[in-house]
Amino acid sequence: MRDKIFTICDTLSKAGISPTAEKVRAELGGGSFSTISPIIKQWRDSQSRAEPAPEIPAAAQTAVNQATALIWKIATDHQAEAINAVRQECARIEHEAIAERDEALKEISFLEERLKASEEQIKSLLAKDTARANEANALELQIHKQQLALDSTVNQNIELKSEIKDLRKLAATAQNEASKLEGMLEVFTKTKTSASAKKTTKNTTQP
């Protein structure tokens, strides 16, 4: 089958007809395309390997050489221009980068100064806060002492009020006792005076 297909392909090719699976199948009188197509491909591969490369005419070779030299020159010139453009772009980028770096360094220096000033301000504020905290602690201690003194005074006042209340009760009791005694004394005095008067009258009336 392979040799028959190769022979048919050779015959068709010599007749100026490109071998295809359909044409080869028609020449065979049947067969599967899946079987014929790979063999046709093998025949084409063998033909491409067997055919020698045609020689290039001298004029064509000269034209090719000239064209190659011209293309090389154009490519070299273009490459030089591209390299020069790249160098210029690199120089511009480097210049901009240096400028940005200098600006960044200035900004860093400025920020460092601000940071230093802020740290000094923070230290000052912390010192003031510490002093104020100490003053507050001292005042709080003093207030605590005064509160204790006040509480003691309040307690003393409460005790004094209780004593005064008790004394007032005693004074009221004593006043009542004194009033009773005074009444009894007055009755006793009246009784004694009346008895003395009766005695005197009795003595006067006797012969």
Side-chain angles (χ1 to χ4, degrees), residues 129-147:
D129 288 342
T130 302
R132 289 175 181 173
N134 292 333
E135 291 178 1
N137 292 332
L139 289 173
E140 185 176 357
L141 180 60
Q142 186 176 358
I143 291 171
H144 180 67
K145 290 180 179 179
Q146 291 178 354
Q147 185 65 42

Side-chain angles (χ1 to χ4, degrees), residues 46-62:
S46 65
Q47 292 297 310
S48 62
R49 289 193 298 270
E51 292 178 356
E55 294 183 359
I56 299 176
Q61 184 65 46
T62 301

Side-chain angles (χ1 to χ4, degrees), residues 152-206:
S152 177
T153 302
V154 170
N155 292 331
Q156 290 178 2
N157 288 338
I158 293 173
E159 292 177 357
L160 287 174
K161 286 180 180 180
S162 179
E163 290 179 3
I164 290 171
K165 186 176 180 180
D166 293 339
L167 289 174
R168 283 178 178 174
K169 288 182 179 179
L170 291 174
T173 302
Q175 183 66 34
N176 291 331
E177 294 292 332
S179 296
K180 289 180 181 179
L181 291 173
E182 186 177 354
M184 293 173 64
L185 180 61
E186 185 178 356
V187 171
F188 178 75
T189 302
K190 286 181 179 181
T191 302
K192 187 177 180 181
T193 302
S194 177
S196 297
K198 289 180 179 180
K199 186 177 180 180
T200 301
T201 302
K202 183 178 180 181
N203 290 333
T204 303
T205 55
Q206 290 179 357

Side-chain angles (χ1 to χ4, degrees), residues 101-118:
R101 182 203 62 187
D102 294 340
E103 289 294 329
L105 289 175
K106 289 181 182 179
E107 185 68 17
I108 290 171
S109 178
F110 175 72
L111 292 175
E112 286 177 346
E113 291 295 330
R114 288 187 58 185
L115 178 61
K116 185 178 179 181
S118 298

